[in-house]
Amino acid sequence: MLASLLLSVGIITLISVVLSLMMVVADATIGNYGIVNVTVNKETQFEVEGGQSLLKTLMSEGIFIPSACGGRGSCGLCKVTVLEGAGAYLPTELPWIDKEEQKQNIRLSCQVKVKNDIEIEIPEELFLVKEFSTTVESIKDLTYDIKEVRLKLHDPPEIEMKAGQFVQFEVPEYELTDEPVYRAYSMASVPSDTQHVELMIRLVPNGICTTYVHEHLKEGEQVTINGPYGDFFLRDTDRPIICIAGGSGMAPIKSILLDMAEKGSKRKARYFFGARTRKDLFYVEEMGALEERLHDYKFIPALSEPQEEDNWEGEVGLITDVVHRLTEDASGSEAYLCGSPGMIDACIAVLKDLGMPEEHIYFDKFS
Amino acid sequence: MKQSPEYDHIQQQMQPGVITLPGFLGHDKRNLIDILIEDEGTVLRADTSHQKIAERMQYFRDAGVDGLGEFITLDDTFDVRVDSVRGKLPSPFGGPGMFDKVNTTVVNKKLDKEITFTDLHIHFVRDHGFYEGKGSPFRLEPLDLIHILQVETA
């Protein structure tokens, strides 16, 4: 009885090993797809060696699709329309692609493998996305866990961006990763300074990119970024704006407000910035000083748990409570929010309660 | 100890580069079932359960959301921050859906110790008694969780 059981286990194991070996051999031989044609927006066509993901294939041709997870299928950002040649949807795509998007042939480009001729459509603005080689000009501690990294662009030497957009930062191989990975960060710099990009990066315990930036990155080092990406930017209207941020969510809001100041914007603006204690606050003077440069602007930092030693005389409470307390009517305004999903959701609820239509609320959610 | 083909498949999903770059097992070369059994023993010897640990993790996670991404004081003893990074992850055990990359950091001010866990960790502990393999960058030591979070023991 025992002998026959062991024999059965042995046979099953042997079959599994043989099948695994066949898959490895098949991948190395049948998986050689040769040269395939990629057509983008009916106009651009190029030949590539098949077998890579669509995301990496496009990247190798200088076309950068936004992705915050480096192509692991965990951020859902790298969507493109594939008109032909992608095959059936993979289970790894479906959590990110709803039924409506499936009807429009939207695919997750990091999961689609280029095996044969393929035709895709991407937004025209993605052709403006470039890869930049840069040098770290300075690294500054904004708080105990947020660093500001200022990059000087070299090749190409200038970036054309809208205030509020983000770039992808390439983390090279180091102790936490044996291959380059990409992470997305909003730019804090003003668009007119085309030769620099500033990022604000908060340490995430054991995070691959944030650990690299906080513990390994040094001034003078080379860094590769690509961008700009994103549709979080100031809309061209006359509505008063309400900006709300916390922590590293300061970055895109700072960029937007500095850009408004440079352009002589006359729009009314209120900037609510939430922190727990004084040691979590930064750029208070700089953001406050904009009151001199903007027509009708107020910076309202608020502490949720001020300490005695903070000697804080400003607003106290969660930022949502402060917004609610200091805003009478938001029905004619629009809002720009940047922070954690919990913070964004709470802010949206408050703004709607203050009469703001949801379609006038723009946000950069860290999710 | 021998493990089932289902666990073999799950262990494969936990390898580096499958779901996450570093995977979930670190340098732990044991069978998944052995990792689970050892951690279960640790938890039982501490007179508690995976369920109680997960409930405590969930308590901090839910309460910390009120800080809107910043630390808040909880029960005088704890500082808690619930923060997110971009992205979602599936469980290597399969189901239930995708997990936002939500990090909960709990600082026990009396012990002067802190621990960070994700929503995926809460699922791991509650549904599978899994704390990740030794050497995994996101491994949670059960005893650290029990002490820092002050998990109820019998």
Side-chain angles (χ1 to χ4, degrees):
Chain A
M1 177 68 181
L2 182 65
S4 67
L5 187 67
L6 286 172
L7 184 65
S8 305
V9 170
I11 290 170
I12 290 169
T13 306
L14 186 66
I15 291 170
S16 302
V17 169
V18 170
L19 284 173
S20 301
L21 282 172
M22 285 171 68
M23 285 175 72
V24 170
V25 172
D27 194 45
T29 54
I30 303 168
N32 181 359
Y33 302 102
I35 301 295
V36 299
N37 285 306
V38 180
T39 307
V40 186
N41 292 5
K42 311 254 184 223
E43 296 165 354
T44 309
Q45 196 172 56
F46 48 83
E47 291 182 339
V48 295
E49 187 79 39
Q52 288 268 42
S53 73
L54 180 57
L55 180 73
K56 284 193 174 168
T57 299
L58 293 172
M59 195 183 276
S60 68
E61 294 297 317
I63 298 172
F64 296 92
I65 308 295
S67 160
C69 68
R72 316 207 77 79
S74 69
C75 73
L77 272 180
C78 63
K79 292 175 182 176
V80 299
T81 303
V82 181
L83 300 174
E84 206 175 295
Y89 279 95
L90 298 171
T92 45
E93 291 178 85
L94 293 175
W96 304 101
I97 313 281
D98 62 30
K99 293 264 186 268
E100 196 51 44
E101 289 175 319
Q102 287 180 39
K103 281 184 200 160
Q104 298 167 37
N105 297 316
I106 291 174
R107 305 293 299 261
L108 219 52
S109 64
C110 69
Q111 300 299 304
V112 172
K113 208 169 181 181
V114 179
K115 300 176 181 173
N116 40 254
D117 291 355
I118 191 166
E119 185 176 351
I120 67 167
E121 273 183 1
I122 59 172
E124 286 295 326
E125 60 263 26
L126 288 182
F127 285 110
L128 298 175
V129 172
K130 294 174 184 161
E131 186 171 78
F132 298 85
S133 61
T134 76
T135 303
V136 179
E137 194 167 273
S138 65
I139 302 176
K140 194 162 79 179
D141 286 325
L142 296 179
T143 69
Y144 63 96
D145 68 349
I146 300 176
K147 283 187 189 292
E148 180 183 79
V149 179
R150 182 173 164 84
L151 304 170
K152 171 88 166 91
L153 308 187
H154 292 303
D155 184 24
E158 293 188 299
I159 186 168
E160 193 179 322
M161 61 171 271
K162 289 178 184 170
Q165 287 190 298
F166 69 89
V167 290
Q168 292 189 128
F169 184 104
E170 183 186 310
V171 184
E173 292 174 31
Y174 81 111
E175 65 190 39
L176 288 187
T177 174
D178 53 10
E179 62 181 77
V181 296
Y182 296 84
R183 292 290 184 269
Y185 295 100
S186 297
M187 289 178 276
S189 37
V190 66
S192 61
D193 184 2
T194 56
Q195 296 179 8
H196 293 93
V197 163
E198 286 173 10
L199 309 172
M200 293 176 182
I201 299 178
R202 177 181 243 171
L203 180 65
V204 176
N206 289 317
I208 290 175
C209 185
T210 66
T211 302
Y212 175 73
V213 168
H214 277 253
E215 296 178 10
H216 299 271
L217 189 66
K218 301 278 184 293
E219 290 176 0
E221 278 186 21
Q222 304 289 306
V223 165
T224 302
I225 58 171
N226 59 64
Y229 300 103
D231 54 7
F232 183 71
F233 49 79
L234 189 66
R235 266 45 183 187
D236 189 16
T237 73
D238 291 328
R239 292 189 198 98
I241 65 168
I242 296 172
C243 302
I244 312 173
S248 57
M250 165 74 83
I253 306 294
K254 172 176 171 267
S255 181
I256 286 171
L257 292 169
L258 287 174
D259 192 43
M260 285 173 63
E262 281 191 357
K263 290 175 176 166
S265 171
K266 300 286 185 216
R267 292 173 74 171
K268 178 179 176 181
R270 296 289 178 269
Y271 179 16
F272 297 89
F273 184 75
R276 185 196 188 197
T277 66
R278 194 146 203 162
K279 75 181 170 70
D280 302 301
L281 277 180
F282 57 96
Y283 273 126
V284 173
E285 283 180 21
E286 291 86 344
M287 290 294 101
L290 282 176
E291 290 177 0
E292 303 294 318
R293 297 174 59 196
L294 281 163
H295 176 66
D296 182 1
Y297 163 79
K298 275 196 170 46
F299 177 52
I300 304 142
L303 298 184
S304 58
E305 292 185 16
Q307 305 298 294
E308 215 172 297
E309 62 270 23
D310 288 344
N311 296 315
W312 180 249
E313 292 176 351
E315 294 296 330
V316 174
L318 286 172
I319 200 65
T320 41
D321 297 336
V322 176
V323 171
H324 207 281
R325 196 161 62 230
L326 299 183
T327 310
E328 279 183 17
D329 176 14
S331 58
S333 303
E334 60 191 33
Y336 295 84
L337 322 174
C338 188
S340 65
M343 178 259 193
I344 301 280
D345 292 343
C347 288
I348 290 172
V350 165
L351 291 166
K352 283 169 71 177
D353 193 44
L354 289 165
M356 187 177 288
E358 195 158 358
E359 60 270 25
H360 291 170
I361 303 174
Y362 306 97
F363 51 81
D364 192 3
K365 208 175 192 177
F366 299 162
S367 67
Chain B
M1 183 175 170
K2 272 196 71 62
Q3 67 181 11
S4 64
E6 287 81 8
Y7 269 62
D8 284 343
H9 174 69
I10 293 165
Q11 189 151 5
Q12 182 56 37
Q13 294 294 105
M14 292 178 171
Q15 297 303 315
V18 179
I19 291 177
T20 66
L21 203 54
F24 298 94
L25 296 171
H27 54 65
D28 208 326
K29 300 295 181 203
R30 294 174 297 166
N31 272 343
L32 174 59
I33 191 75
D34 293 322
I35 297 171
L36 295 173
I37 286 172
E38 181 181 320
D39 284 337
E40 180 159 45
T42 303
V43 169
L44 290 175
R45 279 192 296 278
D47 282 332
T48 188
S49 65
H50 302 311
Q51 205 59 37
K52 283 181 181 169
I53 295 172
E55 280 171 14
R56 194 69 174 151
M57 294 165 84
Q58 190 71 51
Y59 166 73
F60 286 106
R61 197 273 190 218
D62 293 344
V65 166
D66 290 344
L68 305 181
E70 300 299 322
F71 275 109
I72 55 166
T73 304
L74 192 64
D75 305 338
D76 293 333
T77 306
F78 303 98
D79 281 346
V80 186
R81 179 169 74 194
V82 176
D83 204 1
S84 306
V85 292
R86 294 172 202 269
K88 292 184 181 198
L89 289 173
S91 167
F93 290 92
M98 305 284 276
F99 292 83
D100 284 329
K101 290 184 176 176
V102 176
N103 296 306
T104 300
T105 299
V106 180
V107 181
N108 184 319
K109 292 185 279 191
K110 284 185 182 157
L111 298 177
D112 194 22
K113 284 187 174 173
E114 71 174 68
I115 198 162
T116 298
F117 53 86
T118 64
D119 283 6
L120 190 56
H121 278 127
I122 300 174
H123 154 71
F124 281 165
V125 174
R126 181 176 47 226
D127 299 329
H128 305 285
F130 179 56
Y131 297 79
E132 304 206 11
K134 306 269 188 202
S136 165
F138 296 97
R139 157 91 180 163
L140 296 171
E141 289 299 336
L143 289 179
D144 286 347
L145 280 170
I146 293 165
H147 291 143
I148 296 171
L149 305 187
Q150 296 185 347
V151 176
E152 183 192 336
T153 52

